[in-house]
Amino acid sequence: MKLCGEKLIEEERRAIANNREYNEKFQYANNRIKTSKYNVVTFLPINLFEQFQRVANAYFLFLLLLQLIPHISSLSWFTTIVPLVLVLTITAVKDATDDFFRYKSDNQVNNRQSQVLIDGKLQNEKWMNVRVGDVIKLENNQFVAADLLLLSSSEPHGLGYVETAELDGETNLKVRHALTVTSELGADMCRLAEFDGEIICEPPNNKLDKFTGTLFWKETKYSLDNEKMLLRGCVLRNTEWCFGLVIFAGPDTKLMQNSGRTKFKRTSIDRLMNTLVLWIFGFLVCMGIILGIGNSIWESEVGFHFHIYLPWDEWMKNAIFSGFLSFWSYIIILNTVVPISLYVSVEVIRLGHSYFINWDRKMYYANKNTSAEARTTTLNEELGQIEYIFSDKTGTLTQNIMIFNKCSINGKAYGDVYDELGHKMEVSERTLPVDFSFNSLADLKFKFYDASLVEAIKLEDPSVHEFFRLLSLCHTVMPEEKNEGELVYQAQSPDEGALVTAARSFGFVFRSRTPETITVNEMGKSVVYQLLAILDFNNVRKRMSVIVRNPEGQIRLYSKGADTILFERLHPSNEDLMCVTSDHLSEFAGEGLRTLVLAYKDLDEAYFDKWQKMHHHASTALENRDEQLSDLYEEIEQDMMLLGATAVEDKLQEGVSDTIANLTLANIKVWVLTGDKQETAVNIGYSCNILTDDMNEIFIVSGCTVLEVREQIRKATEQMVGTPVCNGHGVSEKNGSLKLESVIEETIMGDYALVINGHSLAHALEADMQREFLDMASMCRTVICCRVTPLQKAQVVELVKTFKKAVTLAIGDGANDVSMIKSAHIGVGISGQEGMQAVLASDYSFGQFRYLQRLLLVHGRWSYLRMCKFLYYFFYKNFAFTLVHFWFGFFCGFSAQTVYDQWFITLYNIVYTSLPVLAMGIFDQDVNEQKSLEYTRLYEPGQLNLLFNKREFFICIVQGVYTSIVLFFVPYGAFCDTTRDDGTHLSDYQSFAVTVATSLVIVVSVQIGLDTSYWTAVNHFFIWGSVAVYFSILFAMHSNGLFSIFPSQFPFVGNARNSLVHLTVWLVIIVTTVLCIVPVVAIRFLMVDLKPTLSDKVRYMQRVRRKQKPLQHRMRRVNRTSSRRSGYAFSHQEGFGELITSGRNMRFYKPSPVVTGKSMLSSTSWIENLRKKTTDTMNSFGSEKNIKL
Amino acid sequence: MATNYSPKDDEGEQHKSRKPDNTAFKQQRLPAWQPILTAGTVLPAFFIIGLVFIPIGIGLFVTSNNIKEFEIDYTGIEPNSPCGICANNGTWNTTCTCEVHFRLDQPFEGNVFMYYGLSNFYQNHRRYVKSRDDSQLNGDKSSLKDPSKECEPYRMSNGRPIAPCGAIANSLFNDTLVLYYMDNGTRKEIQLTSNGIAWWTDKNVKFRNPTGDGNLSTIFKDTAKPLNWPKPVYDLDPTDPHNNGFINEDFIVWMRTAALPTFRKLYRLIMKTDSLTPTLQQGNYTLHVTYNYPVLSFDGRKRMILSTISWMGGKNPFLGIAYITVGSICFFLGVVLLIIHHKYGNRNTSADIPN
């Protein structure tokens, strides 16, 4: 994205509301975004300019120019220009289509409508015309058009709710509140239009969670913070309307600032290829110099005396100059060692692979109707080389759906399903859920399978009732009853939502709340509880409680929290129950469920009164308020009675643990980077097999200071290595540590895991500690980073990328993963619930995490294999083709005479040999997909970069050189002094050319035949077809007809006929072919026979078993028993509790038909919107879209 | 592709499943032949190649050895050799003759071919090769008047276009060779045929005289002869109109440039006369050379070669040896590989697959 023009760096931003004239002075960017590069006029020049910036293209242009000099030109102009134009055209068409789609999506976003307050009236304006300082109106479920200061809203106290999923990936609603002074403006157009506050704030930056500024209005100064900002990319929710003042627009918005410049990603093969091409250039120059010197010598020794038949041109002063010219001539004819079609062919092959990914039915996710999509087509083979995977948690590994799954009430566990014989059954699609029809308010989507719990409720088991009563009372959920019985809960954490929804379904329906009361529908009758206090959650307390008075007047404290915390605060009489519950908890945790313990306590009136007074006193205290409060809470939350425990499943996506297990087997390290809390992350780590109980140690780094973190890292390293590592952290050590590290990595025994939180990570990522951290982390099998910011995610990826030189892949689904997706070698987006931004920034996208295994182990592996084989063959065939000129040089006075017909040179790369190798590059597979998944170690060659590296390149060059020698010297020997069977001579230049060319085509065709391991019909067609086409073109070009039209272009007339009818010629061709191929076959056979690779073995087995039925080789998931317990199920910050008790977020209106109707409308549209969300988001973030073909 | 992600598509395809088609092509399940190099295929192939190539090689070698070939260098480097004087004094256009005597130890049967051979003559030099105008040689009138630039510096002579232009034509071999059989002191001239020494396509398609009114001399009226030539192109063979001008066979043979700096070109045929006597009897012969063509300046050599022919062409031991060698190598490799395979080979490859 281009920022509009050169601008002085903005130091602070000033804007006056509703004063466009004033604001225009500063020339702030308007709200138009532009991601396209060209327009109709500039396309051709810019595109050509860009294309010629590529070294290869510039090189060919240079060659073309050289060829225009007649004294150098050893080839006609068309031999270079035809391929060059072809290449340029293909690329230009591709670029043009890409850019057109970018332009279209820009346009769509820019043309979105928004309501702007102009001249005291609301007017519809396109998004792109919105300016800084404008006041705009937003309605519910609309996207925020720019970064706004919230002025006023429909909600009381100027509150507004936004969903920031697109920005930071968090799905819960966030509260934003306007300044009191501005919220009073309401929806009064006149007053809003008169509003002329001046904003002075920080310049545009990419910090999503920070904003500092001040508002001057009516001679008063108000401070502004992030809580008052609505950022572009957010969606307004649950707020009928609001007004905002545009502060940052277009490219200045935090969203755009965050999206950053898209890096052009290249694969390691690309880089290798470029290096090799440079080497080849060097090689080419060397050959040119050798031949040029040869020419100088020849001209002075022989050519000089040959003047009577071949005089020098007048301007040719001496032999040295002739050698100089000859050098350039050889540069021209030997240029085919760097084939111009290389880059295009590589692109075509990658495109083919991308299509295969798009077409893969096994990566199609039916529920969302999304198929996998390769959004960039330039990275495919890198998928076969991944060593590190960085995964987001929420939405990627998990579905971000919390489900009340099991519970333990008064020592009895519920939730498991047993068959008639009392065996535990797996819950499957066919298992019948419990019938909740007794409860008209039940949530229809809620499913529970253990009928005994419902029976217990129906039998009015008091503890069961109390259990669900607690769930329906002790929370901070906001209900919304749009219509009778149509309840929607707004929970800050999905866990709470799950619990309240469960209680609702079991007949304890939380219906509404006021600051003082909670209305619950208990088994059909409505009960109103008086809410006396909310003892809110925080990270230290790890529990929350409410104190309510029931209609009977009894005061009770209900509490839920982490087991470790609550068990300490139970009444001693609970010991037995605690033991049983504890066992249940272990069981739940072993299944990867997130658990909470529930307890209650009866309070007597007197005690409570006293406490309440103290509470009131504490909450108004000016000093140590928090401490006083928490002491008070601590005091009252004692001697509680245990009720039971809940187990909520943070539902993993399908097949996650199998996939991770398989990827781990393939030697890929999986790191989880999540914004979630440590407990949650660890929990998920266990449930998806990233962490296991048989790991030797799980290191937790959670220090707050640099020293602590360093100490923890060191300790962990020592423990793994077994010996203390040197404490010094000098520069001198650095060289040694590289070696040491690789040794260490080999010798680490056992599995280790590392869990590190965001704070510590910030320290660990500092320059002086990052090496140490990385060394330690890479010794662990798994690393989990929790509470990390999007930026940190990217930093971690960068760290591994730079120091490990490993190929990394980042997978995520939310906007918070974008930075990581962009910085990893390969970014994968899950087209999931958190919108499309990750997908749009990604290189590949699909619906489910489990498809990753297929993408890497099947598609990636194949792509890598194909690309390597392709490159090997491609360099080989061009060396074999070109070097013949080199040998011939020694026999033609180094005069740069070509061995072949010019047409052959023109067509060799683009016609005769292009298609078979493309077919191989697109279709080849060594082993089939099942085997690729089954034998994960097949993935290893890619990670170790074994199939195509400098060594392989060298081998292929040697093979090419050998072939060229055979190709030249066998016909040379056979022809030098012989004649045809009719006595006429055979060794004329043209016959020689045809013989060598024919041998070459046959040799390279046989070679591609050997290289092709998967002969589909297409391969057959292309390989046989190419040979056939060669002969047809050969005969056509040597035909009388063409000659009679262009006598000087086709001087080879009649040659094919005259040469190829001769047995001698064919004998030469055959012996040449055999001589070229036999060593290759022998060596390959020996390799397979003596040192077969895994792939060879599997291929062999595949062949043997072809007729037998393939064995189903499924990995069974082992059920873990775990001693680990309680990832307690809170994931929200504190804050809501205070909002509730103060009543600030409550709305009181009498249900009127109008309102009901309206809210019904909005409720349906809410759902509608959720459904449409994907679509919308795409509109909104089309701007970040980077379409690459 | 990426580009199909536009919201409009989404709405339109809401009901349509985007599930990819289940075709073998798209799912990469195309039926395929998957060959692998196993001992069962590679070893027999090596043996078969060996067994086929060795007999062919022997056949070629024997045939090649049966071909009779006689070669004599008449360049005359030594001043006292028969053509020594001509070689050292002769220039273009000065006619000098010399005679070389030689003896055939064996009779030559069947048609005998007479070649002239040149060594160290770079007919394959780039500037030489391109120095011709195929349009002109094909009888194109405009090229006749305005030959291609490629012909420089043999393009124009005194303001008139050279026909045929270019360095190749200019350096046309112009020694005349006559062969005598010395039959007890009497000289018997051997009948040399010049008809049929060029390729049919060259003579009939590639080379053509410009058409026009009158005889060749009028057609070539405005052109100049190549500098080195003693006579213009229309006088190459005034006796035979089908062998004159551009379609003179000696000229055509010369214009088909050689691939290597040592080459031979067919000069004349000695047709078999009757089945009883050999074409060339055992005995003494004299080669009468009209020595026009200087080669000494660039250390070139001129040879006269007499050769019979077989089904595989002229004498060429290389190919036979090549076949025998390659065949033996293959056979040998086959044996070696067989031994290696038996001793160390992984016969049961699938046994030790990990995972």
Side-chain angles (χ1 to χ4, degrees), chain A residues 337-360:
Chain A
V337 277
V338 187
I340 193 167
S341 48
L342 174 69
Y343 291 91
V344 175
S345 308
V346 166
E347 295 292 305
V348 169
I349 287 175
R350 287 176 176 159
L351 188 68
H353 296 171
S354 307
Y355 272 107
F356 281 132
I357 291 171
N358 295 350
W359 285 333
D360 195 335

Side-chain angles (χ1 to χ4, degrees), chain A residues 535-586:
Chain A
L535 287 60
D536 205 3
F537 172 88
N538 74 30
N539 270 323
V540 184
R541 286 163 40 76
K542 294 183 177 176
R543 63 187 184 271
M544 82 159 285
S545 308
V546 291
I547 301 172
V548 293
R549 190 200 301 271
N550 64 12
E552 288 84 49
Q554 210 174 6
I555 300 176
R556 198 168 259 192
L557 172 139
Y558 290 108
S559 183
K560 64 179 181 187
D563 53 0
T564 47
I565 306 286
L566 278 197
F567 280 176
E568 288 169 10
R569 293 170 174 75
L570 291 180
H571 195 266
S573 65
N574 284 295
E575 204 156 311
D576 292 341
L577 180 56
M578 200 172 96
C579 279
V580 183
T581 312
S582 183
D583 287 347
H584 288 158
L585 281 171
S586 304

Side-chain angles (χ1 to χ4, degrees), chain A residues 238-378:
Chain A
N238 290 22
T239 313
E240 248 166 78
W241 51 260
C242 73
F243 283 89
L245 171 66
V246 178
I247 292 180
F248 300 123
D252 291 343
T253 55
K254 305 235 174 194
L255 174 72
M256 289 299 168
Q257 295 273 321
N258 246 310
S259 68
R261 214 171 268 262
T262 320
K263 279 187 211 157
F264 179 66
K265 290 184 181 175
R266 280 153 119 207
T267 67
S268 50
I269 290 275
D270 268 332
R271 286 187 291 272
L272 177 62
M273 213 156 72
N274 285 345
T275 320
L276 296 184
V277 166
L278 282 182
W279 285 11
I280 294 175
F281 281 155
F283 184 64
L284 177 63
V285 172
C286 287
M287 285 195 295
I289 289 172
I290 292 172
L291 293 165
I293 292 172
N295 183 265
S296 289
I297 296 170
W298 186 88
E299 288 288 352
S300 56
E301 298 286 315
V302 183
F304 179 75
H305 304 290
F306 197 50
H307 272 189
I308 47 166
Y309 298 123
L310 187 63
W312 283 356
D313 296 314
E314 304 120 34
W315 42 265
M316 202 145 86
K317 304 285 180 317
N318 54 29
I320 310 261
F321 186 62
S322 159
F324 175 74
L325 291 184
S326 171
F327 167 77
W328 290 112
S329 303
Y330 269 111
I331 294 291
I332 295 173
I333 65 168
L334 296 178
N335 83 74
T336 41
V337 277
V338 187
I340 193 167
S341 48
L342 174 69
Y343 291 91
V344 175
S345 308
V346 166
E347 295 292 305
V348 169
I349 287 175
R350 287 176 176 159
L351 188 68
H353 296 171
S354 307
Y355 272 107
F356 281 132
I357 291 171
N358 295 350
W359 285 333
D360 195 335
R361 278 166 80 85
K362 292 188 180 131
M363 290 179 19
Y364 167 78
Y365 187 45
N367 291 4
K368 289 219 172 64
N369 192 18
T370 48
S371 49
E373 193 191 356
R375 299 174 46 80
T376 39
T377 57
T378 53

Side-chain angles (χ1 to χ4, degrees), chain A residues 734-929:
Chain A
K734 267 186 181 158
N735 288 331
S737 74
L738 256 172
K739 265 187 224 153
L740 183 75
E741 167 210 331
S742 54
V743 177
I744 289 170
E745 249 178 84
E746 302 295 311
T747 52
I748 292 295
M749 298 297 282
D751 284 340
Y752 294 94
L754 168 68
V755 179
I756 186 167
N757 66 22
H759 273 296
S760 310
L761 192 61
H763 296 306
L765 289 176
E766 274 163 28
D768 58 336
M769 217 196 294
Q770 54 182 20
R771 260 334 282 252
E772 213 173 326
F773 165 65
L774 181 67
D775 291 347
M776 181 244 174
S778 51
M779 282 188 266
C780 299
R781 208 183 74 183
T782 306
V783 176
I784 295 178
C785 307
C786 30
R787 279 256 160 261
V788 291
T789 61
L791 188 68
Q792 278 181 325
K793 287 185 180 185
Q795 281 174 335
V796 171
V797 175
E798 286 291 346
L799 183 68
V800 174
K801 235 171 94 174
T802 36
F803 290 112
K804 281 277 148 195
K805 303 265 178 280
V807 184
T808 55
L809 178 145
I811 179 166
D813 72 321
N816 55 345
D817 306 316
V818 167
S819 60
M820 139 172 118
I821 283 174
K822 280 187 177 169
S823 52
H825 289 101
I826 290 180
V828 178
I830 303 265
S831 27
Q833 296 151 329
E834 295 196 9
M836 291 297 288
Q837 215 190 343
V839 171
L840 292 171
S842 69
D843 305 307
Y844 298 90
S845 72
F846 41 68
Q848 290 270 287
F849 180 78
R850 67 187 142 115
Y851 299 146
L852 187 62
Q853 119 172 279
R854 197 174 162 76
L855 183 73
L856 300 189
L857 300 184
V858 179
H859 289 285
R861 209 182 78 80
W862 278 347
S863 284
Y864 175 69
L865 176 91
R866 290 163 180 172
M867 189 55 74
C868 291
K869 282 180 126 182
F870 166 82
L871 288 176
Y872 184 97
Y873 177 78
F874 211 80
F875 285 120
Y876 157 77
K877 86 175 163 78
N878 279 291
F879 265 81
F881 164 62
T882 310
L883 287 189
V884 177
H885 295 309
F886 182 78
W887 311 120
F888 188 56
F890 290 88
F891 296 90
C892 67
F894 306 95
S895 60
Q897 173 63 17
T898 58
V899 179
Y900 317 103
D901 178 10
Q902 305 197 354
W903 288 107
F904 180 77
I905 296 176
T906 314
L907 299 179
Y908 176 76
N909 263 320
I910 54 178
V911 178
Y912 301 144
T913 57
S914 60
L915 292 180
V917 67
L918 278 186
M920 179 183 77
I922 292 173
F923 297 111
D924 210 51
Q925 17 184 298
D926 54 346
V927 300
N928 61 25
E929 49 181 20

Side-chain angles (χ1 to χ4, degrees), chain A residues 1143-1175:
Chain A
R1144 277 178 58 198
N1145 64 342
M1146 304 284 170
R1147 204 185 315 188
F1148 305 94
Y1149 46 75
K1150 297 209 167 66
S1152 70
V1154 185
V1155 171
T1156 330
K1158 222 180 184 177
S1159 43
M1160 230 176 85
L1161 203 81
S1162 69
S1163 91
T1164 48
S1165 68
W1166 163 272
I1167 293 158
E1168 192 78 355
N1169 269 305
L1170 266 179
R1171 203 162 59 77
K1172 272 194 185 163
K1173 195 173 150 193
T1174 12
T1175 332

Side-chain angles (χ1 to χ4, degrees), chain A residues 70-71 73 101 298-299 302 305-306 308-312 316 329 351 355-356 358-361 364 369 373 375 377 859 862 866 888 891-893 895-897 923 925 934-937 970 972-974 976-985 987-992 1013-1016 1040 1043 1047-1048 1051 1053 1055 1057-1058 1063-1064 1067-1068 1070-1071 1074-1075 1078 1081 1084-1086 1089-1090 1092 1094 1097 1099-1103 1178-1179 1185 1187 1189, chain B residues 1-5 7 10-11 13 16-22 25-39 42 46 49 53 56 60 92 113 115 120-122 124-130 134-135 138 153-154 167 171 197 199 201 205-206 228 253 256-262 264-266 293-294 297-298 309-316 318-319 323 326 330 333 337 340-341 344-347 349-350 352-355:
Chain A
H71 304 295
S73 166
F101 282 103
W298 186 88
E299 288 288 352
V302 183
H305 304 290
F306 197 50
I308 47 166
Y309 298 123
L310 187 63
W312 283 356
M316 202 145 86
S329 303
L351 188 68
Y355 272 107
F356 281 132
N358 295 350
W359 285 333
D360 195 335
R361 278 166 80 85
Y364 167 78
N369 192 18
E373 193 191 356
R375 299 174 46 80
T377 57
H859 289 285
W862 278 347
R866 290 163 180 172
F888 188 56
F891 296 90
C892 67
S895 60
Q897 173 63 17
F923 297 111
Q925 17 184 298
E934 198 174 313
Y935 298 103
T936 44
R937 272 199 38 226
V970 171
Y972 169 78
C976 64
D977 235 0
T978 194
T979 55
R980 309 200 314 177
D981 56 3
D982 59 358
T984 56
H985 54 96
S987 62
D988 66 289
Y989 165 72
Q990 295 190 338
S991 305
F992 190 78
S1013 42
Y1014 194 76
W1015 284 70
T1016 63
N1040 305 351
F1043 176 76
S1048 39
V1053 58
N1055 215 293
R1057 272 177 279 174
N1058 281 301
L1063 195 59
T1064 325
L1067 285 173
V1068 170
I1070 289 169
V1071 78
V1074 169
L1075 206 51
V1078 159
V1081 174
R1084 292 204 181 167
F1085 170 72
L1086 276 181
D1089 205 42
L1090 299 180
L1094 182 60
K1097 290 180 192 172
R1099 267 173 77 76
Y1100 185 77
M1101 193 185 67
Q1102 216 172 285
R1103 188 188 169 98
M1178 273 182 302
N1179 294 345
K1185 196 161 159 181
I1187 310 150
L1189 271 163
Chain B
M1 292 252 35
T3 48
N4 62 15
Y5 249 122
D10 268 14
E11 278 157 30
E13 289 174 18
K16 211 168 83 185
S17 169
R18 283 209 228 112
K19 188 165 191 172
D21 306 332
N22 190 11
F25 174 70
K26 290 188 172 182
Q27 301 309 316
Q28 305 197 61
R29 280 189 275 104
L30 286 177
W33 174 52
Q34 299 178 49
I36 23 179
L37 297 176
T38 58
V42 174
F46 275 36
I49 293 176
F53 270 37
I56 293 180
L60 286 171
W92 289 95
F113 298 80
Y115 303 92
N120 210 16
F121 192 100
Y122 283 81
N124 58 2
H125 195 281
R126 178 167 59 88
R127 279 186 288 121
Y128 186 84
V129 170
K130 70 174 185 185
D134 280 311
S135 306
N138 194 34
Y154 301 108
S171 58
I197 58 170
W199 290 5
T201 41
V205 182
K206 196 171 179 183
N228 285 354
V253 167
R256 181 157 283 280
T257 54
L260 301 161
T262 299
R264 60 171 72 169
K265 286 180 186 286
L266 188 55
Y293 202 70
S297 63
F298 57 93
I309 224 88
S310 73
W311 57 269
M312 53 158 282
K315 198 177 182 75
N316 181 18
F318 177 86
L319 207 52
Y323 265 82
V326 172
C330 283
L333 263 181
L337 292 183
I340 292 178
H341 177 66
Y344 311 102
N346 272 304
R347 260 151 291 162
T349 9
S350 57
D352 54 342
I353 298 183
N355 277 7

